[in-house]
Amino acid sequence: MRADRVTPTGRAPVTGQPVRVIVWVAHLVLPLLGLWLLLAAPAVDLMWQDHLGHLWLVLVVAAINVVLAVLMGRASRRRADARLFLIALMFGASAVFLALHALATPRVLLPTATIGFDFAQPVGLTIASLLAVLSSLRLTGSPLATARWQAALVGLVLLAALVWGVVSLGYLPPLNAPAGPRDVNGPMTVVGVVTIGLYALAAIRYFQLYRRRPAAVLLSIITAFVLLAESEIAVIFAVKWHLSWWEWHLLLLAAYGFVAYSAHVQFRREGTSAGIFDAVSLNETVRRIRAEYEEALEELVDLLQRQEHGAGRASGGLVLSRVAARFGLTEGQAAVLGRAGDALAAERGLSRRLGALVTVGEQARVGSAEVEFLRDALETVTAAYGEVRIELVADGTVRLDGRAYGAGDFGAGPISDGDTLLVPLTVKGIFAGVVAGAAPGATERDVATLRTLASQLSIALENSRLYRELETLFRSYLSPDVAAALLADPGQAALGGTLVEVTAVFADLRGFTTFSERVEPAAIVTMLNRYHSVAVPCVLDNGGTVVQFVGDALLALFNAPARQPDHVLRAVRAALGLQEAVERLAADEPAWPRFRVGANTGPALVGNIGSEQLRGFNAMGDAVNVAARLQTLAEPGQVVIGDTTRRALGDSVITSPLGELSLKGKTELVRAHLVTGLVGARNGTP
């Protein structure tokens, strides 16, 4: 839709320009102005009595209505739309009563004019006005959408027309009474006024629909309703066989002719009658039509995408023909749909390829094995790019289909051996492998997209190998949470810290000094490494961060750097798991010292402590110091926790109170508890 076709509220304007509104209104006002002039100046309202002219004029209008009724009826059956059915019936009812009015023309079948002749068309207009208003209502879920109700309504209209025709053309009472100077008088005048109001109401309601759904056919129906209301005004006031009387016949011709002309223009524009009246349909029908078109386009696009990967062209033509037949499309419209499908398929193909590139970049993450990464990447790109192979360098060359390729083969960029298009992969600018795709039929765009894929794979492969180096080097010296945080945000390596509530776990070996005096340094290192090899996993598996090893001591934090709502439970679980793991390990080494563990919860300043040249992740605060002091109260194999930790655990832990104790460096007494187990959980299990 053009920009000048959209209003600030998002609705389409009544017409494209204000001038058109003025012209449209002027055409509707002129007939009333002409009627007023004829009635105001009786001398001008000349009499012209032409029975045969009247017969053929009315029959032509009736024929137009028959054509419109047939076309609209077909559309209503095809779309199963109640509104289209009612409008079709409106045209049909008008056609029948127009024909009865024409056949009752004096000196054709009947010798004189009767009230059957006078009333036939006003009655037809009244029935049509009722159907017009009914069609403008919200008919969702209406029984009029069912074939039985539609048949009943059609039967009722035909029965009324049949009775009228038999009585009127059979010259039977009461319709054989002599005609008056005007077509309607007395009670029929009231009926005429009601008819005018009904047409006005129908025009207003359809105008509201037109504002939401601008369409030429809708505008023509609105215009027809207004002209029919004006013709009813002329019926009430005009004197029979005078110019004012002929005017309402011409208004009928204009009303129905305008709709027919609009449908004809739409037919010439689209080349088919299948969708001429779609704009008049109910909202549910319009949504269903759109869904059907989208479904058809999706089917066509899917086929075109399969063709892109080797499907035959014949099947594409078959689907396009089936879609064209389903929606009544001409060859030109089918060709346009095919081009639209090609464009949409190309756009979706490009979107899939871009999505594959993003996915490949995401797959090269920290800790991913290269073989696993290449397998996942190949699966991803094959779905988007078609048949693609990835081969890496081995001993300086890549072997593909029995032939070896080296870095020198790609001096000028991608190469092709006739069946395969090869694009090099590089890592830090050095030849590392190739991406191979199909060469036959490859366009410049295909080559460009394959080069883009190779570039992204090169970056991802380089990142994967770099991450593996980081895994080997960097992570060996840092807790995984700290390493991951620094990789995600290097700014976290800056000096400083944040005050956070943590649970600190401090463990050291009771009797380590005495043990060190008796054994060789190598034995000490062996013991510590074996102890830490089982103690550290207990911390890490519970989400803790190993902050430091100091001689025989280990400090771990929970809730830093990663936040953990259940950090207290995690810390105590890790402490108990640590003791169990060490006990199993030291069962065969009775001379080895045993760990004692203290844990405490409280605020601590967590961050990077040190200098610009050398720093470490640590926690400072009374909570950490108390944890270190509490472990001195524990016996080997025991876990002692502070009162804050105990209260945070609630009923999930089994403890024995140790009372209020005096700790080194603390002026106040500290309440401590000995942990004997956890409730409903196995120690050391996250």
Side-chain angles (χ1 to χ4, degrees):
M1 183 179 289
R2 289 172 17 210
D4 61 353
R5 293 285 294 170
V6 179
T7 63
T9 59
R11 291 183 176 179
V14 178
T15 55
Q17 300 292 338
V19 175
R20 295 180 182 177
V21 178
I22 297 173
V23 172
W24 180 65
V25 172
H27 279 81
L28 298 180
V29 171
L30 284 176
L32 289 180
L33 181 61
L35 177 64
W36 177 77
L37 291 174
L38 290 173
L39 296 177
V44 180
D45 191 15
L46 302 175
M47 182 176 180
W48 179 39
Q49 191 169 5
D50 184 349
H51 299 94
L52 287 178
H54 174 270
L55 171 69
W56 290 113
L57 173 62
V58 178
L59 286 178
V60 167
V61 179
I64 293 174
N65 275 272
V66 170
V67 174
L68 291 175
V70 170
L71 292 176
M72 195 76 77
R74 288 177 180 175
S76 71
R77 289 190 297 273
R78 183 170 57 251
R79 302 302 188 196
D81 188 274
R83 175 177 291 156
L84 293 177
F85 162 75
L86 289 172
I87 299 178
L89 187 57
M90 180 194 77
F91 288 127
S94 296
V96 171
F97 279 90
L98 276 168
L100 292 174
H101 176 68
L103 294 176
T105 303
R107 302 177 188 176
V108 176
L109 296 180
L110 301 178
T112 59
T114 64
I115 61 172
F117 168 69
D118 290 349
F119 292 170
Q121 182 51 26
V123 169
L125 283 174
T126 301
I127 295 174
S129 68
L130 289 169
L131 293 170
V133 172
L134 189 59
S135 72
S136 70
L137 303 178
R138 294 184 178 181
L139 299 169
T140 304
S142 169
L144 291 175
T146 63
R148 185 174 68 176
W149 278 85
Q150 291 181 1
L153 199 54
V154 170
L156 187 62
V157 172
L158 290 178
L159 179 62
L162 179 62
V163 172
W164 189 279
V166 170
V167 175
S168 175
L169 300 180
Y171 208 67
L172 300 175
L175 297 183
N176 62 348
R182 287 185 170 85
D183 282 338
V184 298
N185 53 69
M188 284 297 297
T189 304
V190 177
V191 175
V193 172
V194 172
T195 300
I196 295 169
L198 290 174
Y199 275 123
L201 177 60
I204 292 172
R205 293 189 63 86
Y206 271 87
F207 178 77
Q208 293 171 342
L209 176 63
Y210 177 77
R211 292 187 64 189
R212 298 191 303 270
R213 196 192 302 165
V217 173
L218 264 177
L219 184 61
S220 69
I221 290 177
I222 296 169
T223 305
F225 288 160
V226 175
L227 292 175
L228 290 174
E230 293 179 356
S231 71
E232 187 67 21
I233 295 174
V235 169
I236 295 173
F237 291 101
V239 180
K240 193 179 300 178
W241 297 109
H242 285 249
L243 293 182
S244 56
W245 184 80
W246 285 99
E247 181 179 347
W248 69 259
H249 292 79
L250 295 177
L251 285 172
L252 291 177
L253 177 63
Y256 297 122
F258 192 74
V259 177
Y261 175 75
S262 176
H264 174 68
V265 171
Q266 191 81 356
F267 173 80
R268 293 190 61 183
R269 181 183 297 121
E270 297 185 3
T272 176
S273 62
I276 291 179
F277 302 109
D278 284 351
V280 188
S281 305
L282 296 170
N283 292 334
E284 291 73 14
T285 304
V286 171
R287 284 194 291 266
R288 188 172 66 249
I289 293 171
R290 289 174 180 171
E292 290 176 354
Y293 274 103
E294 289 173 1
E295 179 184 349
L297 188 58
E298 288 285 349
E299 183 180 358
L300 184 61
V301 168
D302 288 342
L303 179 68
L304 293 172
Q305 290 171 345
R306 290 197 299 272
Q307 288 176 350
E308 189 177 316
H309 299 308
R313 280 285 171 190
S315 57
L318 183 61
V319 169
L320 191 57
S321 299
R322 188 166 68 247
V323 171
R326 178 180 176 185
F327 295 101
L329 304 181
T330 63
E331 290 185 5
Q333 290 171 324
V336 171
L337 181 62
R339 290 195 295 272
D342 285 329
L344 186 55
E347 180 183 352
R348 289 193 173 179
L350 179 60
S351 298
R352 287 199 315 276
R353 291 173 179 176
L354 291 175
L357 295 180
V358 172
T359 303
V360 167
E362 293 174 345
Q363 288 170 339
R365 57 174 58 89
V366 177
S368 61
E370 186 171 296
V371 174
E372 180 183 348
F373 159 67
L374 289 176
R375 184 185 67 246
D376 294 342
L378 186 60
E379 182 179 341
T380 299
V381 300
T382 299
Y385 284 79
E387 191 61 35
V388 173
R389 288 181 288 174
I390 303 173
E391 297 291 341
L392 298 182
V393 166
D395 298 328
T397 61
V398 172
R399 300 199 64 83
L400 192 68
D401 297 331
R403 180 178 172 183
Y405 298 90
D409 295 319
F410 298 93
I415 60 175
S416 173
D417 63 359
D419 294 326
T420 307
L421 180 65
L422 303 176
V423 182
L425 296 174
T426 60
V427 173
K428 296 186 181 298
I430 300 174
F431 179 61
V434 297
V435 177
T443 63
E444 292 184 5
R445 188 186 69 178
D446 295 330
V447 176
T449 55
L450 195 62
R451 294 185 68 172
T452 303
L453 172 62
S455 176
Q456 180 64 21
L457 283 171
S458 295
I459 295 172
L461 184 62
E462 184 173 333
N463 288 341
S464 178
R465 293 178 177 178
L466 175 61
Y467 291 156
R468 191 170 67 247
E469 293 177 13
L470 289 174
E471 180 75 14
T472 303
L473 300 175
F474 192 30
R475 283 177 173 266
S476 298
Y477 293 92
L478 289 175
S479 177
D481 282 343
V482 177
L486 289 175
L487 284 172
D489 182 9
Q492 293 190 29
L495 293 175
T498 304
L499 191 64
V500 180
E501 182 185 75
V502 299
T503 298
V505 176
F506 202 94
D508 80 341
L509 293 172
R510 175 73 177 273
F512 176 74
T513 303
T514 303
F515 175 79
S516 300
E517 292 175 350
R518 299 197 313 266
V519 300
E520 296 294 328
I524 298 173
V525 173
T526 299
M527 179 202 66
L528 289 175
N529 287 342
R530 291 188 65 187
Y531 270 163
H532 290 322
S533 68
V534 297
V536 168
C538 292
V539 174
L540 300 183
D541 290 347
N542 283 280
T545 299
V546 178
V547 174
Q548 61 183 358
F549 298 100
V550 181
D552 63 322
L554 174 152
L555 173 60
L557 293 180
F558 292 79
N559 204 39
R563 299 295 178 260
Q564 301 157 327
D566 58 343
H567 61 92
V568 179
L569 180 60
R570 288 173 176 267
V572 174
R573 186 189 293 132
L576 292 172
L578 179 153
Q579 292 289 36
E580 290 180 0
V582 168
E583 187 63 32
R584 288 193 298 269
L585 177 64
D588 298 329
E589 301 289 346
W592 282 8
R594 302 292 195 273
F595 273 112
R596 50 185 180 176
V597 179
N600 191 47
T601 303
L605 187 66
V606 178
N608 299 299
I609 299 171
S611 67
E612 292 294 338
Q613 292 77 25
L614 185 64
R615 69 197 67 185
F617 182 80
N618 212 326
M620 303 291 292
D622 184 63
V624 180
N625 295 334
V626 170
R629 297 292 183 263
L630 288 175
Q631 65 85 20
T632 63
L633 302 177
E635 296 296 328
Q638 291 183 343
V639 176
V640 175
I641 61 176
D643 194 54
T644 306
T645 305
R646 176 65 187 85
R647 291 197 305 271
L649 290 169
D651 296 332
S652 62
V653 66
I654 303 171
T655 62
S656 298
L658 299 179
E660 294 184 343
L661 306 174
S662 176
L663 301 181
K664 183 179 179 180
K666 294 288 293 182
T667 58
E668 298 180 356
L669 297 179
V670 175
R671 188 181 298 274
H673 304 266
L674 175 65
V675 180
T676 57
L678 293 175
V679 176
R682 192 179 66 192
N683 297 345
T685 303

